Amino acid sequence: MIKKIALIAILLTTTTGIAQHYKTYDWQKKPKLHKLSSDEKEASSVAIFKKVIVEYHADEVASEPRLYETKHTIIRVNDDNGIAQHNTVYIPMYDVKQLISVKARTISPSGKVVLLNEENIKDVSNVEEYGDFKIFAIEGAEINSEIEVLYTVERAFEIYGSETIQANYKIKEAQFLFITGKLMSNVKAYRTIETFEPVNIEGNKAQLLTIKDIPAMVEEEYATPKANNIAVVYQCFLPDQNITQNMFWTNVSNNVGRQFFPEEVVAQAKEDADKIVEGYTDLSTYKKAALVDIFVKSNYTVVKNNNQELSDLNYILTNRSASDYGIMKVYAQYLTALDVEFEIVITANRFLTKFDPEFFVPGMLRDFLIYIPSERKYIAPDRFEARIGEAPFNILGNYGLFISSDFKHYFSKIIQEDPDYSKIRRDMNISFKNDFESVTIEQDQDYFGHWAETSRAVLNLSTEQGLIEYKDYLTGSGIEDKAIISYETFNTDMNQLEYNVPFQVKTTISSEVLLEDAGDSYIFQIGMVIGTQSELYQETERINPIEMIYPNRYNYEIIVNIPEGYTVEGLESLVIDKRYIASNGKETAKFESNYKLDDDKIIITIEEFYKTHEFDLNKYEEFREVINAASDFNKAAILFKAAD
């Protein structure tokens, strides 16, 4: 009898020690509607509660820990839009071993509860290329009801993971519970001042993050909202493992380095390299790299699929077709053959992910670049429209993992070496025909940097409709009745051997809509000649940090010829001066327009620049004033008055 009691005690102790939290976690037995503030009632939907539980569970039986993920949400839907957003639930099944449990219910304004019928759960394959899902519709949802969903899945074991906490609706309270027991682990939260607190969950070591009143993430101009969401990343290791962040990064560097820094150049690559530089002498490092970039993008096709052949060097060199990973091997072969020193950069699109050098998560390792250290220039192998130059705008400002030929690595923020890389120079000469019957505008424009890259890509790759729309942009957007008298473009070839060769366009247009008859006077909508401008007249509080697409500069000179027998009034509308002074005291953004009278001419100058792509959120009003200054100039008008 004593032995039997002891055995039961051991079994109970073992069971308690390995109990999983998801088995005891549950929703309230008798749900009630929650109170909302008047502002919350105005929103289409509000999350009352959002909880994510990531639970690693190790026992002596399994060779590796089990990984369970539980999600619990309560969402108030206040109108039809809210219902439409939340009345269908998708449970991602990527890397899921099994759906352990799922339940859902709606609580109507009158208190009626409608439960999920599990027979309505359907399997859906490859939803918009995001993989397989379990899907079910919420029953009983009506305006001012609450939708509650609770489910648990067992996932295939992974050392690391991430979870986005913020959403496009307000969350009154969010929790992330990370249960690891005796296993070694790391967890980190981004873009919140709240921190993880140690807690004990049924005898298991855990950490809990609680955040209240998370605002809805909104789409805003000059922002990267997807990358700015509050998020959590985590790591959990096998028993007896203690892996440092540097060990993770070193492992990546060694693996990638062995793939992309060849011990020898294969015969086919040597032949190609000779063709690449054939006919050229005394080539600089920059021109060698430029010729390689041009050759690859003129002769190879990058295919977006996981076919193993597309990563095999011999197959790629023979068939001129590669994956975005495989094409890196081609560049490495050619650059090595031509004695061009390079480094591999692994980073992420800053509009989607912020790269963190201090915490390893594979989801950050999305984009590859090639860096030429002696030139401080980048090659973007998977961007067909780009050629060697400054970093791609979607990478600019993110950190990257730089790997050298000895497989060593370092981290660096990816910056734009030339602050004036992207700029537009525009000269205009404006005259009037037949006593103000129409206005004629002659334009001479130079587009540099990303402006030039975009222009060349559009002219070489766009559809017929795209070409029409871009021609409209280049000849003066927003002038509805314009007639294009002449239109010439120069330096349109995407393959340029020199650094930052400008794309050029010369145009002549005429318009009547810019002029308005005012008796013996004429109103000239001069501001419209600079084209449609962005404006920031946001009334709600700014959520996102300020990020422009890239630093840029505009320098305009506009000469207006005053017809004989007329004077000009209203020139003060052409004088605008708005500046952004950074916290270090430097002038980093400006819009300044002014004029001078020179006999029968008005000479207007405009200087607008943004020396960085990142601006302080606390100085948003100052930034907005600079942006809006261009829009204000666009509305400027002057009066030509017949002289007495």
Side-chain angles (χ1 to χ4, degrees):
M1 183 67 178
I2 294 174
K3 288 183 179 180
K4 185 178 290 187
I5 293 172
L7 178 60
I8 293 171
I10 291 170
L11 289 172
L12 287 173
T13 302
T14 304
T15 303
T16 302
I18 64 172
Q20 294 96 353
H21 180 55
Y22 76 83
K23 293 181 177 179
T24 58
Y25 181 82
D26 204 357
W27 59 23
Q28 289 186 353
K29 299 301 180 186
K30 296 182 178 180
K32 294 182 179 179
L33 289 179
H34 297 79
K35 292 183 178 180
L36 299 183
S37 68
S38 56
D39 287 343
E40 290 166 349
K41 290 178 181 177
E42 293 298 317
S44 289
S45 62
V46 175
I48 307 297
F49 185 64
K50 176 180 180 179
K51 185 163 187 171
V52 178
I53 304 170
V54 173
E55 182 176 3
Y56 284 88
H57 176 76
D59 58 54
E60 296 179 359
V61 178
S63 60
E64 62 184 18
R66 294 182 181 274
L67 172 58
Y68 303 97
E69 183 179 270
T70 300
K71 292 191 175 182
H72 181 197
T73 57
I74 305 172
I75 295 177
R76 173 74 66 86
V77 289
N78 295 325
D79 58 25
D80 289 335
N81 289 332
I83 293 173
Q85 182 175 0
H86 299 286
N87 69 353
T88 303
V89 176
Y90 293 83
I91 301 177
M93 298 304 291
Y94 177 75
D95 272 352
V96 170
K97 287 185 173 181
Q98 60 173 323
L99 176 62
I100 292 176
S101 64
V102 57
K103 54 185 181 178
R105 64 188 177 187
T106 57
I107 304 96
S108 74
S110 64
K112 180 183 177 182
V113 177
V114 179
L115 295 173
L116 168 70
N117 181 352
E118 292 191 24
E119 293 182 358
N120 293 334
I121 300 174
K122 307 297 182 184
D123 293 310
V124 181
S125 299
N126 199 26
V127 179
E128 296 181 1
E129 299 185 358
Y130 286 103
D132 298 340
F133 286 80
K134 297 281 188 182
I135 181 174
F136 59 89
I138 295 294
E139 299 176 11
E142 57 182 278
I143 292 174
N144 297 326
S145 64
E146 289 182 4
I147 297 171
E148 186 168 10
V149 178
L150 173 60
Y151 69 85
T152 298
V153 297
E154 181 184 359
R155 294 196 171 280
F157 173 74
E158 282 285 356
I159 293 177
Y160 20 64
S162 62
E163 182 71 32
T164 299
I165 304 299
Q166 200 165 9
N168 62 354
Y169 46 86
K170 180 180 179 179
I171 302 173
K172 289 175 67 68
E173 181 177 343
Q175 293 183 359
F176 186 93
L177 179 60
F178 187 51
I179 305 171
T180 56
K182 295 180 180 180
L183 298 171
M184 298 293 293
S185 62
N186 298 306
V187 64
K188 183 175 183 178
Y190 293 103
R191 294 168 287 279
T192 176
I193 61 172
E194 304 300 335
T195 57
F196 278 92
E197 300 292 337
V199 293
N200 188 291
I201 303 296
E202 299 164 358
N204 287 317
K205 181 182 70 174
Q207 296 190 69
L208 176 64
L209 174 72
T210 301
I211 311 173
K212 295 189 176 182
D213 295 322
I214 300 174
M217 177 55 72
V218 296
E219 293 288 335
E220 295 175 313
E221 280 199 86
Y222 306 110
T224 59
K226 287 185 179 179
N228 292 339
N229 279 312
I230 296 170
V232 169
V233 293
Y234 53 87
Q235 300 166 340
C236 187
F237 312 119
L238 292 167
D240 303 321
Q241 282 187 336
N242 187 10
I243 304 174
T244 65
Q245 303 306 311
N246 187 60
M247 290 167 66
F248 277 123
W249 295 120
T250 299
N251 184 57
V252 172
S253 301
N254 287 332
N255 288 336
V256 171
R258 288 188 174 89
Q259 291 287 324
F260 294 148
F261 291 102
E263 293 182 2
E264 63 176 2
V265 178
V266 300
Q268 179 63 59
K270 288 179 181 177
E271 289 181 21
D272 288 344
D274 289 340
K275 292 178 183 177
I276 288 171
V277 297
E278 188 175 4
Y280 293 95
T281 58
D282 299 324
L283 282 171
S284 65
T285 298
Y286 179 88
K287 286 191 175 181
K288 287 180 183 179
L291 286 167
V292 168
D293 200 18
I294 290 169
F295 182 84
V296 173
K297 286 170 179 168
S298 300
N299 292 279
Y300 285 82
T301 301
V302 176
V303 181
K304 300 286 185 180
N305 69 38
N306 297 321
N307 187 336
Q308 289 287 52
E309 286 184 324
L310 297 173
S311 295
D312 179 77
L313 180 62
N314 290 326
Y315 176 89
I316 296 168
L317 291 171
T318 301
N319 294 279
R320 304 304 201 203
S321 184
S323 64
D324 51 5
Y325 188 81
I327 203 67
M328 294 287 292
K329 297 180 180 180
V330 176
Y331 276 95
Q333 287 280 318
Y334 293 159
L335 292 172
T336 301
L338 296 175
D339 296 321
V340 175
E341 181 185 349
F342 65 95
E343 296 174 351
I344 300 298
V345 185
I346 313 179
T347 183
N349 182 335
R350 67 180 168 99
F351 292 93
L352 303 176
T353 306
K354 302 298 184 185
F355 188 101
D356 181 6
E358 298 179 356
F359 200 104
F360 176 81
V361 176
M364 295 187 298
L365 308 178
R366 298 286 188 184
D367 290 83
F368 285 90
L369 299 176
I370 295 171
Y371 181 58
I372 312 298
S374 64
E375 309 302 306
R376 299 184 179 180
K377 298 294 181 287
Y378 294 88
I379 294 173
D382 65 340
R383 292 178 65 97
F384 178 75
E385 78 283 3
R387 297 296 181 269
I388 181 173
E390 300 290 347
F393 67 82
N394 64 320
I395 302 297
L396 183 65
N398 232 344
Y399 277 87
L401 173 71
F402 288 69
I403 305 169
S404 54
S405 58
D406 58 4
F407 307 163
K408 291 182 179 179
H409 70 267
Y410 65 95
F411 298 98
S412 180
K413 193 170 187 178
I414 299 170
I415 63 171
Q416 183 170 288
E417 191 68 27
D418 178 2
D420 289 332
Y421 177 65
S422 296
K423 59 186 176 182
I424 297 176
R425 179 201 62 80
R426 180 179 294 170
D427 291 342
M428 298 186 193
N429 191 292
I430 299 174
S431 58
F432 303 93
K433 300 294 185 183
N434 302 326
D435 196 21
F436 291 98
E437 182 179 304
S438 66
V439 57
T440 300
I441 305 170
E442 298 175 353
Q443 292 190 93
D444 183 1
Q445 304 175 74
D446 287 341
Y447 291 78
F448 294 84
H450 294 299
W451 292 111
E453 183 179 283
T454 299
S455 297
R456 291 181 178 117
V458 170
L459 295 186
N460 285 277
L461 306 174
S462 187
T463 62
E464 184 176 347
Q465 180 60 33
L467 292 173
I468 292 171
E469 292 172 0
Y470 205 66
K471 184 176 181 179
D472 174 67
Y473 165 75
L474 292 173
T475 55
S477 59
I479 304 175
E480 295 178 358
D481 75 328
K482 70 186 173 195
I484 300 175
I485 299 169
S486 66
Y487 170 77
E488 289 184 280
T489 56
F490 306 89
N491 296 334
T492 60
D493 194 337
M494 294 171 65
N495 298 324
Q496 298 289 334
L497 273 180
E498 303 295 333
Y499 173 70
N500 208 5
V501 175
F503 164 77
Q504 297 175 307
V505 57
K506 294 183 179 181
T507 65
T508 303
I509 66 170
S510 67
S511 169
E512 296 178 9
V513 76
L514 299 179
L515 292 168
E516 182 181 342
D517 193 337
D520 62 347
S521 303
Y522 296 90
I523 300 171
F524 175 36
Q525 305 290 338
I526 185 171
M528 292 182 68
V529 303
I530 67 170
T532 305
Q533 300 293 310
S534 298
E535 55 187 30
L536 288 174
Y537 294 111
Q538 181 175 335
E539 295 180 0
T540 58
E541 183 180 356
R542 176 81 180 192
I543 298 294
N544 289 282
I546 305 163
E547 287 193 45
M548 303 191 76
I549 296 179
Y550 46 79
N552 54 81
R553 168 183 287 275
Y554 311 84
N555 289 97
Y556 299 166
E557 182 180 81
I558 305 169
I559 297 176
V560 181
N561 296 280
I562 304 171
E564 186 177 351
Y566 284 86
T567 59
V568 187
E569 296 179 2
L571 292 173
E572 63 276 3
S573 67
L574 306 177
V575 181
I576 300 176
D577 191 347
K578 298 294 182 182
R579 300 164 190 255
Y580 175 102
I581 308 300
S583 55
N584 61 7
K586 293 184 178 180
E587 187 178 82
T588 34
K590 180 179 79 169
F591 182 95
E592 182 181 12
S593 61
N594 214 326
Y595 75 93
K596 66 178 181 179
L597 288 170
D598 185 4
D599 295 330
D600 61 348
K601 299 180 188 299
I602 310 166
I603 302 175
I604 304 163
T605 56
I606 300 174
E607 182 181 33
E608 182 180 8
F609 61 71
Y610 304 88
K611 293 184 177 180
T612 178
H613 72 283
E614 298 173 303
F615 293 85
D616 191 343
L617 179 58
N618 294 326
K619 295 172 73 67
Y620 175 66
E621 289 301 320
E622 210 171 306
F623 173 82
R624 185 165 72 165
E625 285 187 353
V626 177
I627 290 289
N628 287 345
S631 179
D632 292 341
F633 185 92
N634 179 254
K635 300 177 179 69
I638 57 178
L639 180 71
F640 288 100
K641 191 172 183 180
D644 295 333

Coordinates of all heavy atoms in Angstrom, one line a residue, residues 556-607:
Y556 N 15.1 75.3 -58.4 CA 14.4 75.8 -59.6 C 14.7 77.3 -59.8 O 15.0 78.0 -58.9 CB 12.9 75.8 -59.3 CG 12.3 74.4 -59.1 CD1 11.0 74.3 -58.5 CD2 13.0 73.2 -59.4 CE1 10.4 73.0 -58.3 CE2 12.4 72.0 -59.1 CZ 11.1 71.9 -58.6 OH 10.6 70.6 -58.4
E557 N 14.8 77.6 -61.1 CA 14.8 79.0 -61.5 C 13.7 79.2 -62.5 O 13.7 78.5 -63.6 CB 16.2 79.4 -62.1 CG 16.2 80.9 -62.5 CD 17.6 81.3 -63.1 OE1 17.8 81.1 -64.3 OE2 18.4 81.9 -62.3
I558 N 12.8 80.1 -62.2 CA 11.7 80.4 -63.1 C 11.7 81.8 -63.6 O 11.7 82.8 -62.7 CB 10.4 80.1 -62.3 CG1 10.3 78.7 -61.7 CG2 9.2 80.4 -63.2 CD1 9.2 78.5 -60.7
I559 N 11.9 82.0 -64.9 CA 11.9 83.4 -65.4 C 10.6 83.6 -66.1 O 10.1 82.9 -67.0 CB 13.0 83.5 -66.5 CG1 14.4 83.3 -65.8 CG2 13.0 84.9 -67.1 CD1 15.6 83.3 -66.7
V560 N 9.9 84.7 -65.6 CA 8.6 85.1 -66.2 C 8.8 86.4 -66.9 O 9.3 87.4 -66.4 CB 7.6 85.3 -65.1 CG1 6.2 85.7 -65.7 CG2 7.4 84.0 -64.2
N561 N 8.5 86.4 -68.2 CA 8.7 87.6 -69.0 C 7.4 88.4 -68.9 O 6.3 88.0 -69.3 CB 8.9 87.2 -70.5 CG 10.2 86.4 -70.7 OD1 11.3 87.0 -70.7 ND2 10.1 85.1 -70.7
I562 N 7.6 89.7 -68.5 CA 6.5 90.6 -68.3 C 6.1 91.2 -69.6 O 7.0 91.9 -70.3 CB 6.8 91.7 -67.3 CG1 7.2 91.0 -66.0 CG2 5.6 92.6 -67.1 CD1 7.8 92.0 -65.0
P563 N 4.9 91.0 -70.1 CA 4.5 91.6 -71.4 C 4.6 93.2 -71.3 O 4.4 93.8 -70.3 CB 3.1 91.2 -71.6 CG 3.0 89.9 -70.8 CD 3.8 90.2 -69.6
E564 N 4.9 93.7 -72.5 CA 5.0 95.2 -72.5 C 3.7 95.9 -72.2 O 2.6 95.4 -72.7 CB 5.5 95.6 -73.9 CG 5.8 97.1 -74.1 CD 6.3 97.5 -75.5 OE1 6.6 96.5 -76.2 OE2 6.4 98.7 -75.8
G565 N 3.7 96.9 -71.4 CA 2.5 97.6 -71.1 C 1.8 97.1 -69.8 O 0.7 97.5 -69.5
Y566 N 2.5 96.2 -69.1 CA 1.8 95.6 -67.9 C 2.8 95.8 -66.7 O 4.0 95.7 -66.8 CB 1.5 94.2 -68.1 CG 0.3 94.0 -69.0 CD1 0.4 93.9 -70.4 CD2 -1.0 93.8 -68.4 CE1 -0.7 93.7 -71.2 CE2 -2.1 93.6 -69.2 CZ -2.0 93.6 -70.6 OH -3.1 93.4 -71.4
T567 N 2.1 95.9 -65.5 CA 2.9 95.9 -64.3 C 2.4 94.6 -63.5 O 1.4 94.0 -63.9 CB 2.6 97.1 -63.4 OG1 1.2 97.2 -63.1 CG2 3.0 98.4 -64.1
V568 N 3.1 94.3 -62.5 CA 2.9 93.0 -61.7 C 2.6 93.3 -60.3 O 3.3 94.1 -59.6 CB 4.0 92.1 -61.8 CG1 3.7 90.7 -61.2 CG2 4.5 91.9 -63.2
E569 N 1.5 92.7 -59.8 CA 1.2 92.8 -58.3 C 1.1 91.4 -57.7 O 0.9 90.4 -58.4 CB -0.2 93.6 -58.2 CG -0.1 95.0 -58.6 CD -1.5 95.7 -58.5 OE1 -2.4 95.0 -57.9 OE2 -1.6 96.9 -58.9
G570 N 1.2 91.4 -56.4 CA 1.0 90.1 -55.7 C 2.3 89.3 -55.6 O 2.2 88.1 -55.3
L571 N 3.4 89.9 -55.9 CA 4.7 89.1 -55.9 C 5.0 88.6 -54.5 O 5.8 87.7 -54.3 CB 5.8 90.0 -56.4 CG 5.7 90.3 -57.9 CD1 6.8 91.3 -58.4 CD2 5.8 89.0 -58.8
E572 N 4.4 89.3 -53.4 CA 4.8 88.8 -52.1 C 4.3 87.4 -51.8 O 4.9 86.7 -50.9 CB 4.1 89.8 -51.0 CG 2.6 89.8 -51.1 CD 2.0 90.7 -52.1 OE1 2.8 91.3 -52.9 OE2 0.8 90.8 -52.1
S573 N 3.4 86.9 -52.6 CA 3.0 85.5 -52.4 C 4.1 84.5 -52.8 O 4.0 83.3 -52.5 CB 1.7 85.2 -53.2 OG 2.0 85.3 -54.6
L574 N 5.1 85.0 -53.6 CA 6.2 84.1 -54.0 C 7.3 84.0 -53.0 O 8.2 83.3 -53.2 CB 6.8 84.7 -55.3 CG 5.8 84.9 -56.4 CD1 6.5 85.5 -57.6 CD2 5.1 83.6 -56.8
V575 N 7.2 84.8 -51.9 CA 8.2 84.8 -50.8 C 7.8 83.8 -49.7 O 6.8 84.2 -49.0 CB 8.5 86.2 -50.3 CG1 9.6 86.2 -49.3 CG2 8.9 87.1 -51.5
I576 N 8.5 82.7 -49.6 CA 8.2 81.7 -48.5 C 9.5 81.3 -48.0 O 10.4 81.0 -48.7 CB 7.4 80.5 -49.1 CG1 6.0 81.0 -49.7 CG2 7.1 79.5 -48.0 CD1 5.2 79.9 -50.4
D577 N 9.5 81.1 -46.6 CA 10.8 80.7 -46.0 C 10.4 79.8 -44.8 O 10.0 80.3 -43.8 CB 11.6 81.9 -45.5 CG 13.0 81.4 -45.1 OD1 13.3 80.2 -44.9 OD2 13.9 82.3 -45.0
K578 N 10.5 78.5 -45.0 CA 10.3 77.6 -43.9 C 11.5 76.6 -43.7 O 12.0 76.1 -44.7 CB 9.0 76.7 -44.2 CG 7.7 77.5 -44.3 CD 7.3 78.2 -43.0 CE 6.1 79.0 -43.1 NZ 5.7 79.6 -41.8
R579 N 11.9 76.4 -42.5 CA 13.1 75.7 -42.2 C 12.9 74.7 -41.0 O 12.1 75.0 -40.1 CB 14.3 76.6 -41.9 CG 14.6 77.5 -43.0 CD 15.5 78.7 -42.6 NE 15.6 79.7 -43.7 CZ 16.7 79.8 -44.5 NH1 17.7 79.1 -44.3 NH2 16.7 80.8 -45.4
Y580 N 13.6 73.6 -41.1 CA 13.6 72.6 -40.1 C 15.0 72.6 -39.5 O 16.0 72.3 -40.2 CB 13.2 71.2 -40.6 CG 13.3 70.1 -39.6 CD1 12.1 69.6 -39.0 CD2 14.5 69.5 -39.3 CE1 12.2 68.5 -38.1 CE2 14.6 68.4 -38.4 CZ 13.4 68.0 -37.8 OH 13.4 66.9 -36.9
I581 N 15.1 72.9 -38.2 CA 16.4 72.8 -37.5 C 16.4 71.6 -36.6 O 15.6 71.5 -35.7 CB 16.6 74.1 -36.7 CG1 16.4 75.4 -37.5 CG2 18.0 74.1 -36.1 CD1 17.3 75.5 -38.7
A582 N 17.4 70.7 -36.9 CA 17.5 69.5 -36.1 C 17.9 69.8 -34.7 O 18.4 70.9 -34.3 CB 18.4 68.5 -36.8
S583 N 17.8 68.8 -33.8 CA 18.2 68.9 -32.4 C 19.6 69.2 -32.2 O 20.0 69.8 -31.2 CB 17.8 67.7 -31.6 OG 18.4 66.5 -32.2
N584 N 20.5 68.9 -33.2 CA 21.9 69.3 -33.2 C 22.2 70.7 -33.7 O 23.3 71.1 -33.8 CB 22.7 68.3 -34.0 CG 22.4 68.2 -35.4 OD1 21.6 69.0 -35.9 ND2 23.0 67.3 -36.2
G585 N 21.1 71.4 -34.0 CA 21.3 72.8 -34.5 C 21.5 73.0 -35.9 O 21.5 74.1 -36.4
K586 N 21.5 71.9 -36.7 CA 21.8 72.0 -38.1 C 20.5 72.1 -38.9 O 19.5 71.5 -38.5 CB 22.6 70.7 -38.6 CG 24.0 70.7 -38.1 CD 24.8 69.5 -38.6 CE 26.2 69.4 -38.1 NZ 26.9 68.3 -38.7
E587 N 20.5 72.8 -40.0 CA 19.4 73.0 -40.9 C 19.3 71.8 -41.8 O 20.1 71.6 -42.7 CB 19.6 74.3 -41.7 CG 18.4 74.7 -42.5 CD 18.6 76.0 -43.2 OE1 19.3 76.0 -44.3 OE2 18.2 77.0 -42.7
T588 N 18.3 70.9 -41.6 CA 18.3 69.7 -42.3 C 17.1 69.7 -43.4 O 17.1 68.8 -44.2 CB 18.1 68.5 -41.4 OG1 17.3 68.8 -40.3 CG2 19.4 67.9 -40.9
A589 N 16.2 70.6 -43.3 CA 15.2 70.7 -44.3 C 14.8 72.2 -44.5 O 14.8 73.0 -43.6 CB 14.0 69.9 -43.9
K590 N 14.5 72.5 -45.7 CA 14.1 73.9 -46.0 C 13.3 74.0 -47.3 O 13.5 73.3 -48.2 CB 15.4 74.8 -46.2 CG 15.2 76.2 -46.5 CD 16.5 77.0 -46.6 CE 17.1 76.8 -48.0 NZ 18.2 77.8 -48.2
F591 N 12.4 75.0 -47.3 CA 11.8 75.4 -48.5 C 11.9 77.0 -48.5 O 11.4 77.6 -47.6 CB 10.3 75.1 -48.6 CG 9.7 75.5 -49.9 CD1 9.6 74.6 -51.0 CD2 9.2 76.8 -50.1 CE1 9.0 75.1 -52.2 CE2 8.6 77.2 -51.3 CZ 8.6 76.4 -52.4
E592 N 12.6 77.5 -49.5 CA 12.8 78.9 -49.6 C 12.5 79.4 -51.0 O 13.2 78.9 -51.9 CB 14.2 79.3 -49.2 CG 14.4 80.8 -49.2 CD 15.8 81.2 -48.8 OE1 16.7 80.4 -48.7 OE2 16.1 82.5 -48.6
S593 N 11.6 80.2 -51.2 CA 11.3 80.8 -52.5 C 11.4 82.3 -52.4 O 11.0 82.9 -51.4 CB 10.0 80.4 -53.0 OG 8.9 80.8 -52.2
N594 N 11.9 82.9 -53.5 CA 12.1 84.4 -53.5 C 12.1 84.9 -55.0 O 12.1 84.0 -55.9 CB 13.3 84.8 -52.8 CG 13.2 86.2 -52.1 OD1 12.4 87.0 -52.6 ND2 13.8 86.3 -50.9
Y595 N 12.1 86.2 -55.2 CA 12.1 86.7 -56.5 C 12.9 88.0 -56.6 O 13.2 88.6 -55.5 CB 10.7 87.0 -57.0 CG 10.1 88.2 -56.3 CD1 10.2 89.5 -57.0 CD2 9.5 88.2 -55.1 CE1 9.7 90.6 -56.4 CE2 9.0 89.3 -54.5 CZ 9.1 90.5 -55.1 OH 8.6 91.6 -54.5
K596 N 13.2 88.4 -57.8 CA 13.8 89.7 -58.0 C 13.3 90.2 -59.4 O 13.0 89.4 -60.3 CB 15.3 89.7 -58.0 CG 16.0 88.9 -59.1 CD 17.5 89.1 -59.0 CE 18.2 88.3 -60.1 NZ 19.7 88.4 -60.0
L597 N 13.1 91.5 -59.5 CA 12.7 92.1 -60.8 C 14.0 92.5 -61.5 O 14.8 93.2 -61.0 CB 11.8 93.3 -60.5 CG 10.4 92.9 -60.1 CD1 9.6 94.2 -59.6 CD2 9.6 92.2 -61.2
D598 N 14.1 92.1 -62.8 CA 15.2 92.5 -63.6 C 14.6 93.0 -64.9 O 14.3 92.3 -65.9 CB 16.1 91.3 -63.8 CG 17.4 91.7 -64.6 OD1 17.6 92.9 -64.9 OD2 18.1 90.7 -64.9
D599 N 14.4 94.4 -65.0 CA 13.8 95.0 -66.2 C 12.4 94.4 -66.4 O 11.6 94.5 -65.6 CB 14.7 94.9 -67.4 CG 16.0 95.7 -67.2 OD1 16.0 96.7 -66.5 OD2 17.0 95.2 -67.8
D600 N 12.3 93.7 -67.5 CA 11.0 93.1 -67.9 C 10.8 91.6 -67.5 O 10.1 90.9 -68.1 CB 10.7 93.3 -69.4 CG 11.7 92.6 -70.2 OD1 12.7 92.2 -69.7 OD2 11.5 92.5 -71.4
K601 N 11.6 91.2 -66.5 CA 11.6 89.8 -66.1 C 11.4 89.7 -64.6 O 11.9 90.5 -63.8 CB 12.9 89.1 -66.5 CG 13.2 89.1 -68.0 CD 14.5 88.3 -68.3 CE 14.9 88.5 -69.7 NZ 13.8 87.9 -70.6
I602 N 10.6 88.7 -64.2 CA 10.6 88.3 -62.8 C 11.4 87.0 -62.7 O 11.2 86.0 -63.4 CB 9.2 87.9 -62.3 CG1 8.2 89.1 -62.7 CG2 9.1 87.7 -60.8 CD1 6.7 88.7 -62.6
I603 N 12.5 87.0 -61.9 CA 13.3 85.8 -61.7 C 13.0 85.2 -60.4 O 13.3 85.8 -59.3 CB 14.8 86.2 -61.9 CG1 15.1 86.8 -63.2 CG2 15.7 84.9 -61.7 CD1 16.5 87.3 -63.4
I604 N 12.4 84.1 -60.4 CA 12.0 83.4 -59.1 C 13.0 82.2 -58.9 O 13.3 81.4 -59.8 CB 10.6 82.8 -59.3 CG1 9.6 84.0 -59.6 CG2 10.1 82.1 -58.0 CD1 8.3 83.5 -60.2
T605 N 13.4 82.1 -57.7 CA 14.3 81.0 -57.3 C 13.6 80.2 -56.2 O 13.0 80.8 -55.3 CB 15.7 81.4 -56.8 OG1 15.5 82.4 -55.8 CG2 16.4 82.1 -58.0
I606 N 13.8 78.9 -56.3 CA 13.3 78.0 -55.2 C 14.4 77.0 -54.8 O 15.0 76.4 -55.7 CB 12.0 77.2 -55.7 CG1 10.9 78.1 -56.1 CG2 11.5 76.2 -54.6 CD1 9.7 77.4 -56.7
E607 N 14.6 76.9 -53.5 CA 15.5 75.9 -53.0 C 14.8 75.1 -52.0 O 14.3 75.7 -51.0 CB 16.8 76.5 -52.4 CG 17.7 75.5 -51.9 CD 19.0 76.0 -51.3 OE1 18.9 77.1 -50.7 OE2 20.1 75.4 -51.4

